[in-house]
Every structure is written in C-alpha cells, then in structure tokens.
Amino acid sequence: MREVNRSLVLALVKEGGPVSRASIARSTTLAKPTVSAIVDELIAEGLVREIGPGSTAVSGGRPPILLEFNARSQLVVGAHIGARRTTVAIGDAAGEEIARREFPTPTALATGTPAVAPADALRMVAAEARAAIESTALPTARLAAVGAVLPGLTDFHTGVCLLAPNLGWRDVPVRDILAAELGAPVYVHNAGQAAAVAENLEGAGGRVGDLALLYAGTGLSAGVLSDGRVFHGVGGTAGEIGHNAVPGNEEPCNCGNVGCLETVASGPAIVRAVRRALEKGAASSLADLDTFDARDVTAAARAGDALAASVIAEVGEHLGLAASWLINAYNPAVVVVGGGLAPIGDLLLDPLRAAVARHALAPALRGVEIRASVLGPDAEVRGAVLLALQHSETYYRVVFRA
C-alpha cells in the first residue's frame, strides 16, 4: 500500500506541479502526515524539490511550500541501432532530450557477415552513450534505464536480438552486453515497436491506444499497440509482417527464406525492381546513374519518370496488402506508415490506401485512419527513450507498458 501511495504522490507532483503538501492530501484523500512522510522521502531521493512559498489562502495562515518534480533526477538512454546509422539520445525523467550523438553503425555487412563483431559493435554504442551522458555534466549514477532498438527480430523477455538480417546479427545478447557496459537495466525492442510507441505518444497516433505502425525502410516490420501497450507475442517476435510469404514471389530474403513480403516492399525492393526494368530496356532517367537508391527513385518519380512512379506504386500496393493484414488481424483505430519509405508521401500512400480498401474486411476497416509518420527519422530513437523512461517509471506509475 505504501508503494501505491508513493506512486499517487509522485504522479501528482510530476503532472500537476507546482503543488503543496496540503493540495496533494486533498487530491488523494491521504492523511497529511502520510503525505508529508512520502514527500520527505522523495525529497531525500532527489525526485522532488521545494521551490518556495505559494499564495496564502483567503482564510489566512502561513503560505504553503510548493513542490515540483526534479526532471534531472534521473537519466535514460535511448539507442536506435539502424542498418546504416546509429543514434544515441539521453533523456531526463520527463522525457526531454538533453543530448544526442549520431554515427555510422559500427557493423556493416561484408560478404554476408558483420565487419565488426556484434559484441564489439554494442560496446562501441555503449561508449558513445557514456560520452553523451558526460556531455550533460550530470552524474552517470543517475542513469535509470536503457532502451535499445534494432532492425530485426527481438525477444523482449530475454533481451536477445534473434535475427537482424540487415546487420548480420543472430542470437546476440544485446541486453546483457549493454547492461554490463552501462550498469543499468536494458530493454530491447524492434524498430517498429519503438516507432509505434513514439508516434502514438508524440506523433501521428494521437494517443489512440490501439494502433498499428507499418515500418517500411531497409526492411519491413510492424509495431502493434493494444490499449497503449506493445503487443510482443509469446516469444517477443510479434509484428514481423515483412517475413510473411507472398504467393508467387521467389525472391530470396536476407532472413534465409524465399518470397518474403519484405523482398517486394522495402527500399532495396524499389531499387531491384527499377534495375530489372532497366535491364529489360525500360526508359528512365535513372538509366544514366551508375548507382541509385530509393531516394533517387522517388526524386525521379516526382520529376515525372514513369518507370520510377510505377515501381513506387507497386511497392505501395504491397504495403497496402500488409496494412490490410494488420487491420484484419488487430482492428486498430489508426495505421501509421513509418520508416524510411514514409517520406515518399502520396506517391506511395495513394496506392497503399487503394490496396487496403480492396483487401481489408469492411467491418475491420470501418473508422480506421491511415496516416503518415509525423516524427520521421526521430521516431525510433524517441521510442527508445520513451520505452526506457516507461520502464524506469514503473515503480510509481505505469503510463504505458512495453
């Protein structure tokens, strides 16, 4: 019961401050001595501080001493380890970002194997996190939790990256390695899950609670929230929609299977489709380029290149099929399209929405909104920070549960 009371008091100070002890007692119906004892404990721990007297009541008497939450009492690390770049952000206990470092991911696929061993890559990420904390001039002892986000299959329960084809990682104990390096609890999620949390709390989701995020970039996955909570599945691998097989597709996937949706609905899929069309003699402004990526294809499509536009439309249709699966299976209020392909905009989203209308069940589709990401490339690292913050907060209040 004491922990519940502590939770109520700290939540009121954090969300309703500045507040007085008396106002906390009135709001919680706790006895004034109980409130005072809890407040004194929180002050001693540095979570709450006194900021001076407030206004005197009309009835007279001494002015109350006001309290506020000390957001810098704790720090969290959010690390998004992407296929190409890694971002490490330091957040305070209110979720405000106070430091960030971005650098090439210290692992790159070379003939199918990582150029840097996964454990060494994670130690490099931890070193960057320590440097970012030092840049804040705040004590590293305040680090309360770490959120680690990766582009692949992750088991939240064990903190293991089961498979990240675009990193060349398999069965990597991410949680244990980072925890040993940083001396704080580590919580591991995939990029789709983290982006879904961030978009729901700070972006396109608008805190709807039931949301599905289609994460399309170098790979393809999904993050599903049910009542604001990440749906992990029994083995922690829920949402890997990109590795569902598409009938008739014989493209080999980095996961080791053949015909995965990711092979026809991702950034690399766009490039492959254009190259194959060019090899067959199709006309395109891209034929003059030795190398190009999905961004170049998008730029060509916007400039009126018919081949580029048709390839993007076809990928949009595949993504629409994936979105219809999510709608039929989970019946979300909102589907957010995020990841590296989201900035393509209506060239991708129009055929996506049309495919959803064709394939989703009418009752499941009723009222569903399909929206583009608002947070863009910040979604993954913001999700990592928010997930770390949520885990560090569970001792007094669950705002949303990973």
Side-chain angles (χ1 to χ4, degrees), residues 5 29 53 59 117 129 140 153 160 169 180 223 254 262 299 391:
N5 292 340
T29 69
S59 58
T140 56
L153 281 73
V160 172
W169 290 10
N254 286 334
E262 179 177 300
H391 289 296

Side-chain angles (χ1 to χ4, degrees), residues 180-198:
E181 291 290 317
L182 295 172
V186 177
Y187 303 93
V188 182
H189 297 79
N190 70 34
Q193 293 166 347
V197 167

Side-chain angles (χ1 to χ4, degrees), residues 101-397:
R101 295 173 79 89
E102 188 173 344
F103 48 94
T105 296
T107 179
L109 289 179
T111 63
T113 59
V116 178
D120 291 335
L122 288 168
R123 293 186 186 101
M124 294 178 194
V125 172
E128 293 286 350
R130 288 192 295 269
I133 293 172
E134 289 172 6
S135 73
T136 69
L138 295 170
T140 56
R142 295 187 184 180
L143 179 59
V146 178
V149 172
L150 296 103
L153 281 73
T154 59
D155 185 340
F156 167 77
H157 308 294
T158 63
V160 172
C161 174
L162 302 173
L163 177 65
N166 295 313
L167 292 176
W169 290 10
R170 184 185 293 272
D171 297 327
V172 178
V174 175
R175 181 185 67 189
D176 293 347
I177 293 171
L178 288 180
E181 291 290 317
L182 295 172
V186 177
Y187 303 93
V188 182
H189 297 79
N190 70 34
Q193 293 166 347
V197 167
E199 289 288 353
N200 193 41
L201 292 175
E202 301 181 343
R207 295 177 178 259
V208 295
D210 293 293
L211 174 146
L213 183 135
L214 195 60
Y215 188 80
T218 303
L220 177 64
S221 66
V224 178
L225 303 185
S226 177
D227 194 24
R229 302 181 179 191
V230 175
F231 180 76
H232 290 285
V234 67
T237 63
E240 288 300 329
I241 197 168
H243 296 290
N244 288 346
V246 177
N249 177 19
E250 299 298 329
E251 187 74 36
C253 181
N254 286 334
C255 75
N257 290 335
V258 174
C260 292
L261 179 62
E262 179 177 300
T263 66
V264 291
S266 61
I270 290 176
V271 174
R272 284 194 297 270
V274 171
R275 288 198 178 282
R276 286 171 179 167
L278 292 176
E279 289 170 359
K280 294 178 180 178
S284 171
S285 59
L286 295 163
D288 298 328
L289 302 179
D290 292 331
T291 62
F292 55 84
D293 58 19
R295 288 169 295 187
D296 297 315
V297 178
T298 301
R302 288 172 177 161
D305 189 298
L307 172 62
S310 67
V311 167
I312 289 174
E314 184 175 359
V315 169
E317 290 178 6
H318 286 304
L319 291 174
L321 179 63
S324 73
W325 294 346
L326 292 172
I327 290 168
N328 289 344
Y330 298 104
N331 192 208
V334 173
V335 175
V336 177
V337 180
L341 298 190
I344 293 176
D346 289 343
L347 287 170
L348 185 78
L349 293 178
D350 285 348
L352 185 155
R353 290 189 175 102
V356 167
R358 290 196 305 272
H359 297 296
L361 289 168
L365 185 58
R366 190 176 299 121
V368 176
E369 292 188 44
I370 299 175
R371 304 172 183 170
S373 164
V374 169
L375 299 179
D378 271 351
E380 300 93 335
V381 72
R382 281 304 299 163
V385 168
L386 291 167
L387 285 162
L389 179 63
Q390 179 264 317
H391 289 296
S392 72
E393 288 180 332
T394 53
Y395 71 94
Y396 74 90
R397 188 181 182 199

